[in-house]
Amino acid sequence: LIEAAKLLSGDKTATVVFYGDSNYNKLTLDNVKFTVSKVTPTINVTVADVTYPSKAVAVINISNMANGTVKVNLTVPGTTWSKVIDGTVSNGQAIVDLTGLSGGNYDVKVEFISSDDYNKDATVFTKFTVLPNNSLINISMTKKTYAVGEEIEIKFEVINSSGDLKILIDGVYYNT
């Protein structure tokens, strides 16, 4: 058995020599052909659920201390929305920042593209959610009690949120 550490992938040709002994003659085999194939690495991706506006992060681990790049393809199920973010794999790991995502469910496809001579490309899938954050509304009034016909002033301040604010008073909706 001969061990050859980290031969590059591809077709190889070797010369094998048995030097013999007192019982056997020397034997030389020329042009012994064999192939060193790239291996398919194991790839794992973890994206934890986050609450908006926190950023999600894809942690990608690839076996064999692989090097290369990853393409993180994000899609929203049931829509045509998609986003691709590139990352670098070094010594088997990539950490990809998924900043700027709105609340919702996301499907993730991670494609590893090898840049070394030992690993094949690989693909893995996962899902995660950007959860909506709690809304906060400050309500302030100049007085607690008003006379009939008196103008009522109520101030609404939406904090860390965006969107429409509607107020329902006695069955009538008011827009702010």
Side-chain angles (χ1 to χ4, degrees):
L1 178 64
I2 299 171
E3 293 184 22
K6 281 204 156 189
L7 290 176
L8 298 178
S9 63
D11 294 330
K12 307 294 179 193
T13 303
T15 298
V16 178
V17 179
F18 173 65
Y19 288 98
D21 58 22
S22 61
N23 296 316
Y24 294 95
N25 292 326
K26 178 180 176 183
L27 175 64
T28 300
L29 300 173
D30 290 317
N31 296 319
V32 176
K33 296 185 185 293
F34 63 98
T35 300
V36 176
S37 298
K38 289 184 176 186
V39 296
T40 302
T42 302
I43 179 171
N44 294 305
V45 61
T46 303
V47 183
D49 292 346
V50 295
T51 300
Y52 181 86
S54 297
K55 71 177 177 182
V57 175
V59 178
I60 302 157
N61 290 298
I62 301 168
S63 64
N64 305 327
M65 299 297 286
N67 294 302
T69 58
V70 287
K71 288 194 176 298
V72 179
N73 300 285
L74 302 171
T75 57
V76 174
T79 73
T80 59
W81 184 91
S82 67
K83 182 175 185 177
V84 177
I85 303 169
D86 294 327
T88 300
V89 179
S90 179
N91 294 321
Q93 188 174 64
I95 297 176
V96 180
D97 184 342
L98 307 177
T99 300
L101 300 177
S102 299
N105 297 318
Y106 292 87
D107 289 340
V108 182
K109 175 182 175 185
V110 176
E111 297 175 280
F112 167 66
I113 298 100
S114 177
S115 67
D116 60 36
D117 291 310
Y118 312 107
N119 294 289
K120 291 182 180 179
D121 297 348
T123 302
V124 69
F125 299 88
T126 193
K127 297 176 183 223
F128 75 100
T129 301
V130 176
L131 302 162
N133 203 334
N134 294 325
S135 298
L136 180 60
I137 302 171
N138 283 339
I139 302 171
S140 60
M141 298 173 22
T142 54
K143 312 189 304 187
K144 294 283 183 192
T145 306
Y146 293 88
V148 173
E150 185 178 357
E151 186 173 306
I152 301 172
E153 184 179 321
I154 306 171
K155 292 184 181 180
F156 299 92
E157 179 187 11
V158 180
I159 300 170
N160 294 330
S161 300
S162 61
D164 296 332
L165 176 64
K166 294 184 179 186
I167 296 97
L168 176 65
I169 301 174
D170 289 336
V172 177
Y173 281 101
Y174 297 89
N175 292 323
T176 59

